């Protein structure tokens, strides 16, 4: 996600940046809630958004010449905040995303002992918290209502937006599992009056959409 690839002169000495998103800030937080601005040492940022994933995922590669990994220090309880601006025409919108770091898959040094490279991956808060919780309860009623309740009560999240009315109801017991596993189990049982299945995905705006296939394909691109 490059900030600038090339300046293009348009009209009277105006330049435009041919990119839909501009990264403005990347802050790393450690277990003491201390922050460190790492944008200048980040060499690559990837944010994955998919209609098959109920969370955004990020991967960041770092070129570290200040021994940040030891002096910060990094102990495995970090968060990263990415602030971007999104431009549509003349309108610009700020996007503020918080990821919880889940792994540090790569670390290495080259011939220069003063330089070390490492990367880390992160997921959104609701997906991170879900890993540490288990739920089991009897439920009755529309499946979309049960999904909404799990998000609000068990994941403390108000990001879920139900964009399609469903006709599916369920009465039974949610066996012991994580909240998001229960949500996915219920989502697979959910369909609308066209018998279309449902997708649940998080967008770059931080919203989690629950929408049927028929409504999804009828949206404007």
């Amino acid at each position: 996600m490059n900030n600038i690839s090339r300046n293009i002169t348009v009209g009277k000495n105006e330049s435009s940046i041919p990119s839909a998103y501009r990264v403005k800030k990347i802050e790393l937080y450690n277990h003491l809630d201390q922050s460190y601005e790492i944008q200048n040492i980040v060499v690559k940022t990837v944010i994955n958004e998919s209609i098959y994933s109920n969370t955004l995922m990020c991967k960041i590669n770092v070129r570290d010449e200040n021994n940040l990994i030891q002096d910060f220090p990094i102990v495995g309880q970090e968060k990263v905040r990415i602030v971007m601006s999104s431009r549509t025409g003349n309108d610009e919108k700020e996007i503020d995303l918080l990821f919880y770091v889940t792994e540090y898959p790569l670390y290495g040094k080259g011939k220069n002992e003063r330089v070390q490279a490492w990367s880390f991956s992160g997921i959104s808060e609701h997906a991170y918290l879900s890993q540490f919780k288990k739920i089991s309860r009897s439920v009755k009623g529309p499946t979309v209502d049960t999904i909404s309740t799990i998000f609000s009560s068990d994941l403390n999240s108000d990001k879920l937006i139900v964009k399609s009315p469903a006709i599916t109801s369920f009465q039974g017991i949610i066996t012991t599992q994580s909240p998001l596993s229960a949500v996915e189990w219920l989502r697979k049982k959910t369909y609308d009056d066209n018998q279309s299945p449902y997708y649940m995905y998080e967008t770059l705006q931080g919203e989690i959409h629950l929408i049927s296939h028929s409504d999804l394909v009828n949206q404007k691109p």
Side-chain angles (χ1 to χ4, degrees), residues 145-173:
D145 290 350
T146 304
I147 291 173
S148 297
T149 299
I150 291 174
F151 263 91
S152 60
S153 300
D154 300 296
L155 296 177
N156 300 318
S157 174
D158 58 358
K159 295 181 177 180
L160 182 65
I161 300 174
V162 180
K163 307 199 75 174
S164 303
I167 63 172
T168 316
S169 293
F170 174 76
Q171 180 176 353
I173 296 175

Side-chain angles (χ1 to χ4, degrees), residues 24-201:
K24 300 172 69 176
K25 184 185 298 184
I26 303 177
E27 289 181 325
L28 188 65
Y29 293 82
N30 64 12
H31 65 291
L32 300 174
D33 207 32
Q34 298 170 332
S35 64
Y36 193 94
E37 169 60 65
I38 64 171
Q39 183 178 1
N40 290 334
I41 62 173
V42 170
V43 296
K44 186 177 182 181
T45 304
V46 177
I47 299 177
N48 290 325
E49 176 192 48
S50 170
I51 62 171
Y52 303 110
S53 175
N54 52 41
T55 179
L56 293 175
M57 293 173 283
C58 77
K59 183 176 181 180
I60 295 177
N61 296 342
V62 175
R63 186 179 188 273
D64 183 8
E65 299 181 30
N66 298 319
N67 200 27
L68 176 66
I69 198 168
Q70 181 176 338
D71 295 340
F72 188 39
I74 291 176
V75 300
Q77 300 176 38
E78 288 71 45
K79 296 177 286 186
V80 61
R81 178 173 173 248
I82 302 175
V83 180
M84 302 182 293
S85 61
S86 170
R87 190 186 64 197
T88 304
N90 294 324
D91 297 328
E92 188 171 289
K93 181 180 180 181
E94 185 170 281
I95 299 171
D96 194 336
L97 300 172
L98 181 67
F99 294 94
Y100 283 67
V101 178
T102 54
E103 62 176 346
Y104 292 88
L106 295 174
Y107 173 83
K109 284 188 176 183
K111 295 181 180 180
N112 188 346
E113 289 294 323
R114 296 181 180 180
V115 179
Q116 53 192 347
W118 43 278
S119 68
F120 59 89
S121 303
I123 56 178
S124 298
E125 182 178 20
H126 66 277
Y128 181 80
L129 294 178
S130 178
Q131 301 176 92
F132 301 99
K133 291 187 176 183
K134 298 292 182 182
I135 63 173
S136 178
R137 64 175 71 107
S138 61
V139 295
K140 179 181 179 181
T143 52
V144 292
D145 290 350
T146 304
I147 291 173
S148 297
T149 299
I150 291 174
F151 263 91
S152 60
S153 300
D154 300 296
L155 296 177
N156 300 318
S157 174
D158 58 358
K159 295 181 177 180
L160 182 65
I161 300 174
V162 180
K163 307 199 75 174
S164 303
I167 63 172
T168 316
S169 293
F170 174 76
Q171 180 176 353
I173 296 175
I174 296 176
T175 57
T176 304
Q177 55 191 302
S178 69
L180 277 186
S181 294
V183 163
E184 284 298 307
W185 183 69
L186 289 165
R187 180 193 63 79
K188 293 176 182 179
K189 297 177 177 293
T190 304
Y191 53 87
D192 63 11
D193 53 6
N194 294 318
Q195 305 299 310
S196 292
Y198 272 65
Y199 298 98
M200 176 178 288
Y201 57 91

